[in-house]
Amino acid sequence: MAKRGFMGGAALSLAGLCAAGVLAGAGPAAAEIAGNRIKLGVLTDMSGFAADSTGTGSLVAAQLAAEDFAKELPGVTIEVVVGDHQNKPDLGSSIARQWLDQDHVNAILDVPFSSVALAVNEVARGSKAMMVASGPGTTELTGPKCSPNTVQWTYDTWALANGTARAVVGQGGKSWYFLTADYAFGHALERDAGAVVTSAGGTVLGNVRHPPNASDFSSFLLQAQASRAQIIGLANAVGDTINSVKQAVEFGVTGGDQQKLAALLMQLTDVNAVGLQAAQGLYLTEAFYWDLTDGTRAFADRFAARMKGRRPTGNQAGVYSGALHYLKAVKAAGTTDASVVAGAMRDLPIDDALFGKGVVRVDGRAVHDMHFFQVKTPAESKGEWDYYTHLKTIPAAEAFRPLDQGNCPLVKKS
């Protein structure tokens, strides 16, 4: 069992929930792993607006990865600790700094909220620890702010915008109006989706921006309705997306042959919070859905057994997949030193039951298939968490921003 870490106002080291894989018999790959111990730190939102899609579920996902890989590293203890960054960049970087300087954390996982991730990215840069980021969406992590120590796993704004906007335009939704959260993440979603819409032959009729964590969307939705755009693109997240969808139905903006909503970032827990009656018909792009394959269903059953029946989100599945790939790289490298492990993560192919096959590029982008879904009607759903109809798979080669377009300093210019 892992020892309890510090619990000062923000950081919470849940020792009772930690996964410690202790193995018998030392193997050659473990010879250079300091103290025969690997420590994974899940830096996440345990209590705020992203807690449903990350939070405790991300911790459980990391535990499952540690347990699953335990037999591969004989003689090594894999410990999982957690910190609550409360969606504050200064707090996130403070926890990360203590983890790296004092607590000997080898890899920082999850890190939802882009501003927090960018701050932690700088703390990890040049250290002996990796950051494997499942939670943030900013493309800066694989663009101008790319770092040899950082891998971005699950999604980013380019992939979400490219997947949803291109597919919706292809289905005839050619005129768009954006309802956008007025901060960097929302602006990036709108920018990336708008570029895809116009390149695919569609038209952007305008936008309206709302403050983060808004409660009343009536005026914003009425402006979107007045545009007469076929598609209202929701360039926001979690609570803002949930409230946008609910109020769009309440105000009669959507339904029947009226305007349709395209959620540029929506996860399973968001659909659950909205309810199928309001969310039905929504288009969205995800990296993972629990009911896609036998492998995803098996993982979801194990996850649900520890999460009171809840099914994993894409972010939580990304924590598992990213942690597993990190541990494979540590085994291959024979060390936890990020300067070596980072290369091993890029050399080893991604291959697991949740995300399938893929690669980690030199810019730190984990490249894998993405999936385009439509939310089911209540009549189509067979029960709780049965929310998506799979419309198409977006191949890995098409799903993410091309390597030469991100302006990452690690990418050599030809």
Side-chain angles (χ1 to χ4, degrees), residues 58-133:
S58 291
L59 175 60
V60 167
Q63 292 172 340
L64 290 171
E67 293 166 14
D68 287 351
F69 203 72
K71 64 182 181 296
E72 301 293 333
L73 284 172
V76 176
T77 297
I78 306 173
E79 181 182 350
V80 180
V81 296
V82 66
D84 182 1
H85 62 49
Q86 298 180 15
N87 299 319
K88 298 175 182 177
D90 57 342
L91 195 52
S93 58
S94 176
I95 294 169
R97 193 169 290 108
Q98 173 161 333
W99 276 359
L100 302 191
D101 293 347
Q102 300 177 34
D103 299 337
H104 309 294
V105 167
N106 305 115
I108 300 174
L109 310 177
D110 201 13
V111 205
F113 207 70
S114 293
S115 62
V116 179
L118 288 168
V120 174
N121 181 58
E122 296 310 314
V123 174
R125 187 188 299 273
S127 75
K128 292 184 178 297
M130 293 293 301
M131 181 170 88
V132 186

Side-chain angles (χ1 to χ4, degrees), residues 26 30 154 207-208 295 345:
T154 309
N207 68 356
V208 61
M345 291 187 75

Side-chain angles (χ1 to χ4, degrees), residues 389-410:
T389 296
H390 184 245
L391 298 181
K392 66 177 292 188
T393 295
I394 304 163
E398 303 172 13
F400 292 92
R401 181 178 62 193
L403 183 62
D404 62 357
Q405 294 180 15
N407 296 315
C408 168
L410 301 174

